[in-house]
Amino acid sequence: MLAYSTVSQLGFMFIGVGVGAFAAGFFHVFTHAFFKACLFLGAGSVIHAMHARIGHHAPGAPGDDTDPAQDMRNMGGLRHWMPLTRWTFLISCCAIAGFPGLSGFWSKDEILWKAFSSSPNGPNIAKEALWQWPSWLGPALYVAGIVAATMTAFYMFRAYFTTFHGNFRGWSIVKGWKDHGNHADHGVDHDGGQHEEPGAGMKGPTPHESAWPMTVPLVVLAAFALFAGFLIAEPIHVAPLAHLLEPIFTHADRYVTARAGSEGMMWLMMAPGFLAFLAGTGAAIYVYWNHQGAPERSFQRQFPRLYSLVYDKWRIDELYDATVVGMVDALADIFTMADKWIIDGILAKVSAALVGAAGTVLRALQTGRTQAYAASMVVGLAGVGWYVVRPHAELSVDDANVRQSGQVVVSVAPGPGYTYRWEGVEAAGSDFSSKRTLPIQLQPGERKNVSVTVRNAFRSETKQTVTVARPDRPSGVPPGVTVVPGRPQAPQLPQQGAQ
């Protein structure tokens, strides 16, 4: 219960930072450290007392994983035997629930007030933010904080009354009871060695207060839970810690402005926070002090499904397990299969097989015999010689100016002893020459096939053909404009009919 309570208090801290109340969010971290640490250590003191008779399950004994010494249903009435733990726990409950004047009251109400009165939509952020703060969001967070504060007061005093008031439910107290067996687990029946369930059927000693190494920290923390809130008590203008933190948040505060119409409403907006304390605490008193939890048991009988849903913490853990954990597990399974079949199977085994096959082929060639190496050199030289002896006609076309001037330049790659014969245009000659480039003039819409025959020094020949073309209209000239090569003209617009 205390661990889940910590999560809710973290929510208040994030509200403070989110609405621009940076000092208030930091201050709630500060005050929460005292009263929540006192609550946790107080719980430890109670568990220490409960371990006098009940503890972990005996090996092999039936039961769930919950330690019965931590189960509040096995407690009750401990105020009679643990006064220091009881009073420090009560002070911390009042602090976290928002009792006026205590540390949690000042820090939590400061956050609620800033949520209502502040808006992180100042003029400095209007042009920089990707998302604008809606006007209704601050009041909505304020209402959510009031509801959360009411629930906090209820469940904290539920824990207090269930633990320290009512009748003790752990075991039947027997004066002078002694542990006759030196068992590591206190949940073992010393007569028959069988596990005993906590309750009236189990006999045990009188619970006792913890030793001073445990109670002194409780007193110190409870004292801070009482008075640490006055470090930032803005309504009464006592805020030394706020003045100390002011230089740290100077830059960030430029992006936060006061909500219009919130001036002078601080004391009025503090009233719902106090009412939340009264409502939550009053409900806990009615259910768990005045009626010993009977309304809860009645609610359980009337609405078993709803009670089960609430008791199971809204089944958030199950939802998280079915969605986030399930998706992560599925993703892990996918990557496991990918690692097995793609990484290990294809990349590793297939590549290893290809390397092995290539090695087998190379082993057939690498015999260590000089004759085989000489034969390989002869074959290689023959291939190189064949490539050198054979002419290569590699054409390239430069048509960068074809749209405007209609000129295209066709070029052929050079080679040792190469001569060239062009065909397909008037500028081409009929004999072989050393002419490697051929300029061609094209009219709009004209296409031509240009061929070149390349002959090398061994009089071996090869031929390649390329097609060059010119578009109908130069780029950038709209329809209806006549273009005469070599002379610019004004646009000739089409005539319009009579209107």
Side-chain angles (χ1 to χ4, degrees), residues 93-111:
C93 281
C94 292
I96 193 175
F99 184 82
L102 272 63
S103 60
F105 168 79
W106 297 113
S107 59
K108 187 182 296 185
D109 272 44
E110 179 74 7
I111 290 174

Side-chain angles (χ1 to χ4, degrees), residues 34 70 104 160 168 182 235 270 292 346 394 398 455 461:
F34 300 122
Q70 301 187 39
Y160 169 74
F168 183 62
N182 186 19
M270 288 175 64
Q292 302 296 311
I346 298 177
E394 299 176 2
D398 181 6
R455 176 186 291 176
E461 298 179 359

